[in-house]
Amino acid sequence: MSKIRLLVLCGGQSEEHEVSLSSAKSVLEALPKDRFEVTPVVITREGKWLPPSETPHALERGSAPSGGELVLSQASSAAGFDVVFPLLHGPMGEDGTVQGLLRLAGIPFVGSSVLASSVCMDKIMMKSVLATYNIPQVAYQAVTHHEFSSHPEKIIDRLEHLGYPVFVKPANLGSSVGISKAKNPEELRAALRFAFQFDRRVIVEASTKGKPRELEVAILGNDNPKASPVGELTFDSEFYDYETKYTAGRAEMHIPANVPAEISAQVQAMALESYKILDCAGLARIDFFYVPESGELYLNELNTIPGFTKTSMYPKLWEAGGLSYAELVSRLVELALEQRN
Ligand SMILES: Nc1ncnc2c1ncn2[C@@H]1O[C@H](COP(=O)(O)OP(=O)(O)O)[C@@H](O)[C@H]1O
Ligand SMILES: [Mg+2]
């Protein structure tokens, strides 16, 4: 049997460039060499696809020089491979853009299609779709920059019904960038102005009643997806902000989560249902808020390309579910090839 020629795309233009490089290094180390011939390609922060010859160096250095060539011509570097693993997080990687390029190039890839990738990346679209299926979520309201700059006070009034505090988030970002918690109208104005620096569409969410417990579950599969055991993240900061996410030792992972069995079962069922509603494929990590005192259990978000280092939540959840890191990566490649039909 000939080896599967796998192209791993990593780096990318989002805040999660470094995380992506670490994920890629883990994948390169883990894949069985007798079955896979793996080529990593680093996409620089400026969007240039480095030729494979420059990639090992860029992976070690952690970053890469500038560029800015036409991306379409660069997609041709994906030709000659059996399958692509776009190990890219956030905008210009997880949001359907790279997926569209690969689709046009006719190369199977790991993970969700263009539609599911872009809907899951957009907090407003994702929540609106899931709301029509009555998936429990916090109350929310979308605001555009145009609306806010035209009638700021009217918008502040319109958001009143959510109650304070509220969470204000750019629609299309990740890593908690641009997110603030606002405790009064004054802070809400500032939070909106801040979020609009990152996106022309912003979502304002009611807060859970008290600090929520943060539960996460890993989904794997195409048409018949399976859920991993449920995990929990704990930390001391007020919410899971950028600093807490990316400072080593600030957050702790607990697998399995120490919650009642019926809560884990509900999380898994809700995650599987949402995965199918949004037509995800391959993988997704789905995050929930749980408040034991009020009994609130809400879906917060779906990540179609979750962090994938050996110590990241997604692979750790599957390890607890009986799949080693290497088995997981091999399975994802198989699922990508399956989707061709
Ligand atoms: N409605 C909410 N109620 C309570 N906490 C929230 C709410 N929304 C966000 N948070 C806190 O902010 C963090 C980041 O929000 P999230 O929507 O997950 O953004 P990102 O996509 O950047 O990860 C969450 O993990 C949680 O700690
Ligand atoms: Mg999050």
Side-chain angles (χ1 to χ4, degrees), residues 124-153:
I124 299 168
M125 286 300 164
M126 187 265 296
K127 281 196 167 33
S128 313
V129 174
L130 294 182
T132 63
Y133 288 85
N134 299 317
I135 299 291
Q137 306 177 87
V138 294
Y140 67 92
Q141 182 107 44
V143 186
T144 66
H145 184 243
H146 177 74
E147 288 168 332
F148 181 61
S149 53
S150 315
H151 306 285
E153 288 319 307

Side-chain angles (χ1 to χ4, degrees), residues 123 127 138 167 169 173-177 179 205-208 210-212 214 235 238-241 245 285 287 289 300-301 303:
K123 292 183 192 297
K127 281 196 167 33
V138 294
F167 279 83
K169 314 174 180 179
L173 233 59
S175 307
S176 300
V177 173
I179 297 186
E205 294 180 11
S207 173
T208 54
K211 185 174 161 176
E214 311 221 8
F235 46 86
E238 196 177 346
F239 70 96
Y240 198 35
D241 55 11
K245 272 184 192 170
R285 195 195 73 226
D287 301 347
F289 296 144
N300 173 38
E301 61 169 338
N303 299 279

Side-chain angles (χ1 to χ4, degrees), residues 13 35 58 63 66 77 108 132 155-156 178 186 189 202 215 227 246 276 286 298-299 320-321 325 328 338:
Q13 299 176 66
R35 287 189 55 210
S63 193
S66 64
S77 35
T132 63
I155 295 299
I156 300 291
E186 195 63 48
R189 262 177 233 112
V202 161
L215 305 180
Y246 295 112
K276 290 179 196 165
I286 309 190
Y298 296 124
L299 186 146
Y325 190 90
L328 176 61
E338 209 175 82

